[in-house]
Amino acid sequence: MGRASAFALHRAGTWRNAALQGVEEAEASGYMGPIMTKHFTIRLPDGSVRQVEEGTTPADVAAAIGPGLAKAALAARVNGELRDLNRPFEGDAELALVTARDEAEALELARHDFAHVLAEAVQNLFPGTQITFGPSTDDGFYYDFAPTPERGPFTEEDLPAIEEEMRRVIARDEPLIREVWARDEVRAFFLKQGEAFKAEWVMELPAEETITMYRSGGWLDLCRGPHLASTGKLDPQAFKLTRVSGAYWRGDQKNAMLSRIYGTGWLNKKQLAEHLTRLEEAAKRDHRRIGQDMDLFHLQAEAHGSVFWHPQGFIIWRQLEAYMRRRLDAAGYAEVKTPQVMDARQWEQSGHWGKYRENMFVIPDEVPNTEEEGPVITGDADWMALKPMNCPAHVLIFRQGIKSYRDLPIRLAEMGVCHRNEPHGALHGILRVRQFTQDDAHIFCREDQIVDEVRQFLDLLDAVYRDLGFPDYQIKLALRPEKRFGSEEMWDWSEQSLRDAVVASGRDKPEFGWEELPGEGAFYAPKLEFHLTDAIGRTWQVGTIQTDTVLPERLDAAYVAEDGQKHRPVMLHRAILGSFERFIGILIEHHAGRFPLWLAPVQAVVATIVSEADDYAREVLAKLEAAGIRAEADLRNEKINYKVREHSLKKVPNLLVVGKREAEEGTVALRPLGTDARQEVLSVDALVARLAAEATPPDLR
Ligand SMILES: [Zn+2]
Ligand SMILES: [Zn+2]
């Protein structure tokens, strides 16, 4: 047994003296020995200060403040570090107690605990199963197991029994005790238990790392922590196991295949119920399913992560692209097109070869004739790479010809097709792909122009998001990370310029979710991030703008300033949609396939009730097409209800029903999508005028 747990037992008997009665009394009692006892000064967020004896824990301080807080406290922030409630102070400290009100932290702690409870439950039910890792995730947790060969991988059928066992573990309310162990002890312990994975892992932890084990009753796991004080702090009704999948040990295909169990975990039953409703809603909106129903695109294994756009899907793309072009033209951008493949030397110079090579598709400059020279391409080949980003190519355009300060700013835009070699497992529909088209642009400007350029960009982005149905978005400023290039001075002015631009645009307000995120900038520059809120409350980071002085330096971009000397321009990298693929995926899920009329692939279908109306339907169709409306006629000999169902599934926004009567009167019965049987009878001219107005893109209205 490690030292810390012996210490914990000792502490449990003594804390009341120390924390409640004060230092002098405790010393006078001689309980811990007056000479050996150290005292620490603990400062609370309200500014109050407490003296405590060595061995006192944050839980003790909470209890000393009051029984309510003792019950509510979940963990502690000690000098900024999240820790167990029962881990004794090691010196003077700033202490903040974490309760369920600190939702993000409380959730993360609970999810990590759920992962441990899951592992313990699985080992209780399936002896011989080995444990590996189990982190918290955005909505819950997972744990990777190595089941015994006889047992085989877990399946969804196992989940109810495991959930039940997890509830039993929670009900036992075992304290989660942190123990410091020696590395060899841990290894020996796990080897004895037949836990090869944990035994392997502990030997690879950094030498300086304090190795901790967490004990819950008789069960132990190697873990950094922190954890809640006991399993009973978890709400047994606030989690659900959701699915199982395969996962390689340490994410490497060469290693053993493990069995991963996922769960979602929350602080209470209500949160879980809300989450499950959101999941259901999200499943209904899944862009892959709607993409198939509407025949927009498909993906197949022969082109992992690259989208096959079908005619209907590409109509959405073309509308969006044409819209963005009009917006960029009006905002003073010049559009360019740059090479798809460039020499490795170019990528070396830009720094991508060193930092980014594993994500790049690399190809030989000249492919040997396989008959004469054999099929092997050697390491001596001259290498080229598919561009993972457009930035270096835009600098190369900027460098053509001498630029003067009067030429700046220069705004180069490109609907740039990029490739990144993402692992298959990371791909997700059209939201995470390998080939994507950015709405990319780079603004080359002087330092004194940054604020104004960024402010103009904010106005452009705001107009685009509103037009596309996202009036709610949040602006974040990601500040300098710990590991970074460039001088402190550069970071100071670039962060301040971005901040000033947001203030100048009047968007430094809570309704824009305005906040600064320390440490989250890119290694070469700070950036503004834009997060959209969709119809079911999910957020998506899409747009970004960042300042950059590194790439102009590396690629030797310069302009002649007023003083006649060469100066480096600042480069602003910016995107509004991010990529067309992902943005269309977000649009599909946000609108659940019911696109605003100007984006809808098919805007109206003329459907006949009887074949006598066929000629009339063709006339109506011709008038719609003449007005530029994307329309089709459905003259099939099918029941009208059948036609309605089919076009509803394809999310056709307007169904125009025509029968004998409409043909005689020169009218149509308009049935907008989702209005069931409600319909409105209109003259053809009135209908065409109404749809044409509604189908006009927002920037042209
Ligand atoms: Zn853990
Ligand atoms: Zn860029």
Side-chain angles (χ1 to χ4, degrees):
M1 181 181 274
R3 277 182 299 119
S5 63
F7 195 38
L9 294 173
H10 164 68
R11 173 198 35 88
T14 60
W15 68 265
R16 244 164 222 289
N17 287 344
L20 283 180
Q21 294 166 13
V23 173
E24 291 86 347
E25 255 179 274
E27 277 181 3
S29 74
Y31 195 83
M32 291 179 72
I35 297 163
M36 299 302 292
T37 308
K38 282 196 221 155
H39 298 106
F40 303 140
T41 304
I42 305 303
R43 194 176 295 274
L44 291 155
D46 64 1
S48 67
V49 169
R50 279 164 193 261
Q51 297 291 329
V52 301
E53 265 182 16
E54 183 174 22
T56 305
T57 68
D60 300 335
V61 174
I65 294 170
L69 186 59
K71 192 153 177 269
L74 298 173
R77 217 160 246 296
V78 177
N79 298 327
E81 188 196 345
L82 196 60
R83 287 194 179 182
D84 298 340
L85 270 185
N86 289 323
R87 178 166 166 192
F89 295 106
E90 285 143 14
D92 294 345
E94 306 260 337
L95 168 68
L97 291 158
V98 175
T99 68
R101 286 192 183 182
D102 310 297
E103 194 165 83
E105 282 172 329
L107 277 170
E108 198 172 331
L109 283 160
R111 286 167 181 163
H112 189 155
D113 280 29
F114 277 125
H116 275 240
V117 170
L118 165 62
E120 184 176 349
V122 165
Q123 290 199 315
N124 290 348
L125 292 179
F126 307 100
T129 304
Q130 294 188 58
I131 50 172
T132 68
F133 288 117
S136 60
T137 63
D138 284 348
D139 72 347
F141 54 94
Y142 67 77
Y143 210 108
D144 287 349
F145 300 97
T148 59
E150 307 82 67
R151 156 64 253 207
F154 296 113
T155 67
E156 313 242 323
E157 273 102 76
D158 297 317
L159 300 184
I162 298 172
E163 282 180 354
E164 223 172 285
E165 179 62 19
M166 284 175 72
R167 290 199 179 94
R168 279 193 289 272
V169 172
I170 292 171
R172 280 202 290 275
D173 194 14
E174 297 281 5
L176 289 158
I177 300 164
R178 177 179 184 272
E179 301 179 0
V180 177
W181 284 41
R183 186 184 305 260
D184 292 339
E185 278 176 2
V186 175
R187 183 175 140 83
F189 170 81
F190 281 122
L191 284 178
K192 205 171 121 225
Q193 303 276 320
E195 298 274 7
F197 296 96
K198 286 283 184 187
E200 176 187 327
W201 182 246
V202 70
M203 300 316 283
E204 292 178 31
L205 294 176
E208 66 278 8
E209 184 150 327
T210 305
I211 295 173
T212 53
M213 297 275 271
Y214 275 80
R215 180 186 293 278
S216 126
W219 191 79
L220 277 155
D221 192 5
L222 171 67
C223 175
R224 271 196 196 104
H227 277 283
L228 299 176
S230 70
T231 57
K233 291 268 183 185
L234 294 172
D235 181 338
Q237 302 303 328
F239 77 94
K240 185 172 166 45
L241 298 181
T242 48
R243 64 195 172 96
V244 293
S245 77
Y248 294 105
W249 167 236
R250 305 168 81 165
D252 190 334
Q253 320 189 18
K254 291 194 284 290
N255 291 339
M257 173 67 95
L258 304 170
S259 194
R260 174 174 298 178
I261 299 179
Y262 286 94
T264 182
W266 300 84
L267 298 178
N268 54 54
K269 195 174 160 182
K270 181 163 168 269
Q271 282 184 349
L272 173 68
E274 284 168 0
H275 176 69
L276 294 177
T277 309
R278 270 197 304 274
L279 281 188
E280 243 171 69
E281 192 52 42
K284 274 189 239 157
R285 291 166 179 267
D286 190 313
H287 72 280
R288 293 166 297 186
R289 187 171 133 183
I290 294 175
Q292 193 170 17
D293 290 345
M294 294 179 73
D295 193 17
L296 303 180
F297 58 83
H298 84 271
L299 291 144
Q300 63 183 66
E302 286 71 16
H304 272 297
S306 301
V307 185
F308 293 81
W309 287 98
H310 297 189
Q312 305 285 301
F314 208 60
I315 288 172
I316 302 169
W317 181 300
R318 284 177 41 163
Q319 291 301 315
L320 193 58
E321 192 177 50
Y323 166 82
M324 288 307 291
R325 278 212 167 95
R326 290 192 300 271
R327 283 287 185 196
L328 290 172
D329 288 350
Y333 287 79
E335 189 173 344
V336 298
K337 198 79 188 162
T338 60
Q340 209 57 46
V341 181
M342 288 203 291
D343 196 286
R345 282 180 288 271
Q346 182 60 51
W347 298 112
E348 261 163 39
Q349 214 183 339
S350 68
H352 290 89
W353 201 249
K355 285 248 178 291
Y356 211 75
R357 183 173 172 177
E358 64 192 35
N359 296 103
M360 291 164 72
F361 286 102
V362 177
I363 49 175
D365 184 9
E366 290 187 55
V367 182
N369 180 315
T370 49
E371 277 182 18
E372 285 166 23
E373 299 172 45
V376 183
I377 296 164
T378 68
D380 304 332
D382 280 332
W383 295 104
M384 313 274 291
L386 279 164
K387 68 176 169 186
M389 20 186 116
N390 310 296
C391 334
H394 290 189
V395 180
L396 298 184
I397 292 180
F398 177 88
R399 280 187 33 172
Q400 292 291 307
I402 294 166
K403 299 291 184 297
S404 130
Y405 66 95
R406 283 189 227 92
D407 299 324
L408 303 182
I410 290 175
R411 308 182 189 96
L412 299 180
E414 180 170 4
M415 309 294 180
V417 180
C418 297
H419 286 81
R420 293 184 191 169
N421 196 347
E422 305 271 4
H424 293 176
L427 303 171
H428 178 70
I430 65 172
L431 293 174
R432 182 100 186 251
V433 288
R434 288 173 141 192
Q435 177 191 308
F436 54 93
T437 305
Q438 294 179 317
D439 67 315
D440 201 6
H442 295 95
I443 301 169
F444 297 87
C445 67
R446 306 187 304 259
E447 268 179 49
D448 63 287
Q449 294 173 317
I450 297 176
V451 174
D452 200 43
E453 282 303 312
V454 175
R455 193 190 51 71
Q456 287 182 45
F457 172 73
L458 292 171
D459 290 344
L460 173 62
L461 169 134
D462 184 270
V464 170
Y465 288 169
R466 282 174 200 282
D467 283 351
L468 296 176
F470 297 98
D472 286 338
Y473 65 91
Q474 302 185 325
I475 308 178
K476 318 276 178 202
L477 173 56
L479 302 168
R480 65 194 80 185
E482 222 163 275
K483 286 196 184 121
R484 56 182 180 261
F485 282 178
S487 65
E488 291 309 286
E489 191 208 343
M490 180 281 279
W491 282 95
D492 289 342
W493 67 250
S494 47
E495 287 174 356
Q496 194 56 41
S497 316
L498 295 179
R499 194 179 285 124
D500 287 348
V502 176
V503 172
S505 78
R507 296 191 178 88
D508 56 330
K509 304 277 179 339
E511 62 262 38
F512 287 98
W514 168 242
E515 102 184 282
E516 303 197 358
L517 308 172
E520 297 201 7
F523 67 91
Y524 56 89
K527 63 177 174 185
L528 288 174
E529 296 174 355
F530 305 91
H531 301 250
L532 301 181
T533 305
D534 76 6
I536 55 171
R538 297 173 298 179
T539 55
W540 306 82
Q541 197 211 316
V542 288
T544 176
I545 184 164
Q546 46 193 279
T547 57
D548 180 11
T549 54
V550 174
L551 201 61
E553 179 78 37
R554 289 191 80 112
L555 298 184
D556 192 25
Y559 67 93
V560 180
E562 241 172 325
D563 58 9
Q565 302 294 311
K566 277 191 168 185
H567 287 243
R568 296 266 176 240
V570 176
M571 189 173 179
L572 302 176
H573 304 252
R574 41 64 75 223
I576 298 175
L577 307 181
S579 86
F580 281 86
E581 287 81 358
R582 180 160 175 272
F583 200 88
I584 292 174
I586 296 169
L587 277 174
I588 294 171
E589 299 207 352
H590 175 56
H591 293 295
R594 298 175 174 201
F595 287 97
L597 199 60
W598 70 281
L599 284 171
V602 178
Q603 294 168 322
V605 167
V606 189
T608 51
I609 303 174
V610 287
S611 57
E612 287 98 315
D614 285 3
D615 286 341
Y616 178 64
R618 288 192 192 95
E619 263 174 55
V620 175
L621 178 65
K623 283 193 177 170
L624 289 165
E625 286 177 341
I629 292 162
R630 295 186 289 275
E632 291 172 1
D634 184 351
L635 309 181
R636 291 174 302 169
N637 186 17
E638 297 285 356
K639 288 251 161 39
I640 189 67
N641 283 343
Y642 175 87
K643 294 184 183 182
V644 169
R645 243 194 332 272
E646 199 176 285
H647 297 297
S648 299
L649 182 69
K650 290 189 179 301
K651 318 278 186 205
V652 172
N654 297 292
L655 202 61
L656 314 176
V657 180
V658 294
K660 258 202 315 217
R661 181 160 151 209
E662 283 79 14
E664 279 159 17
E665 293 174 359
T667 57
V668 295
L670 167 65
R671 258 193 211 214
L673 178 63
T675 50
D676 298 327
R678 246 181 339 107
Q679 52 185 42
E680 187 184 350
V681 178
L682 293 160
S683 76
V684 176
D685 291 342
L687 172 90
V688 169
R690 187 199 285 193
L691 294 189
E694 206 190 317
T696 306
D699 61 313
L700 299 178
R701 277 175 204 159

